Amino acid sequence: MIGGDVSVDAVRELLADAHGGVVPIVAAGHPVLRSRATPYAGQLDAETFGELIEVMRATMHDAPGVGLAAPQIGIPLRIAVIEDRCDVGADVARVRERTRLPFRVLVNPRYTPVGSRTAGFYEGCLSVPGYQAVVTRAAEVRLQCADETGRAVDEVVRGWPARIVAHETDHLDGTLYIDTAHTRSLTTSRMYGEMWSDPTPERAAQALGFATDDRR
């Protein structure tokens, strides 16, 4: 599957090749990550759709990550899964407004900022392994989508969960976090762990020369 082409047979083939319920994650450079995903409109039968969700969940956990969009496993459909077990210290959780996020399925999600408050923090991506960079995002977003049962969702999401929603939804529009990151903040994950894993990126901003209140 390349770009926006969706082949039901290819989806089934991918699922059949899953090892332990896990499939490979597509890395940056593949066209599927740079194309707008096709809206999900029941292209898959219920059994295949359910299998896809379980494989996405298992792949996200195995990585490990807090979200995974279907294009990241080569399927150009507007579907994402998110879950954050919030395995961080209390100080980090408080400053980053990071709370436990139960497993959720987002079908055809879209988001819009709520208010003017923004926050800049380091992010990584399963499709851009080995690197992290600071991204300034809206601190609150309105999420509109459907869940895995087709139930309509329309709610305001705040803090770190809002960041996860935005990051995964951006994937469905062909956008990677590096497109909107502060490029001077870019660091290897190893260097991040050694130098910049503070609750906020302010010390990194001063040392590396970027401002977290700007979008770039």
Side-chain angles (χ1 to χ4, degrees), residues 116-123 133-139 163 177 180-182 201 210-216:
S116 58
R117 188 166 69 95
T118 61
F121 292 106
Y122 270 100
E123 287 185 25
V134 173
V135 182
T136 297
R137 296 190 185 273
R163 181 172 296 270
Y177 86 98
T180 54
H182 302 278
F210 64 92
T212 60
D213 56 351
D214 295 327
R215 285 283 175 171
R216 291 289 294 174

Side-chain angles (χ1 to χ4, degrees), residues 12 25 32 56-58 72 130 154 194 199 207:
R12 292 172 178 156
I25 293 175
V32 73
M56 290 178 65
R57 184 177 191 172
Q72 290 182 276
D154 188 342
E194 291 179 358

Side-chain angles (χ1 to χ4, degrees), residues 5-24:
D5 296 331
V6 181
S7 165
V8 176
D9 288 341
V11 173
R12 292 172 178 156
E13 182 178 347
L14 176 71
L15 299 179
D17 288 341
H19 296 285
V22 174
V23 295

Side-chain angles (χ1 to χ4, degrees), residues 42-129:
Q43 293 94 325
L44 307 177
D45 62 76
E47 181 178 358
T48 303
F49 178 78
E51 289 180 10
L52 171 61
I53 296 305
E54 287 308 310
V55 164
M56 290 178 65
R57 184 177 191 172
T59 301
M60 173 181 66
H61 288 166
D62 181 71
V66 295
L68 187 74
Q72 290 182 276
I73 58 171
I75 298 175
L77 288 172
R78 295 188 72 83
I79 301 171
V81 296
I82 59 177
E83 181 179 10
D84 187 4
R85 298 171 181 176
C86 197
D87 298 325
V88 297
D91 287 345
V92 171
R94 176 181 55 80
V95 171
R96 299 181 185 176
E97 299 180 83
R98 188 167 176 177
T99 56
R100 285 187 174 272
L101 180 62
F103 178 77
R104 300 185 65 176
V105 178
L106 311 181
V107 178
N108 298 326
R110 62 184 186 276
Y111 71 92
T112 52
V114 174
S116 58
R117 188 166 69 95
T118 61
F121 292 106
Y122 270 100
E123 287 185 25
C125 180
L126 300 179
S127 290
V128 189

Side-chain angles (χ1 to χ4, degrees), residues 2-4 26-37 71-72 76 127-128 170-180 216:
I2 301 296
V26 175
H30 194 295
V32 73
L33 296 176
R34 289 310 196 174
S35 303
R36 288 184 63 86
Q72 290 182 276
S127 290
V128 189
D170 284 352
H171 269 301
L172 305 178
D173 293 326
T175 299
L176 298 177
Y177 86 98
I178 53 177
D179 298 333
T180 54
R216 291 289 294 174

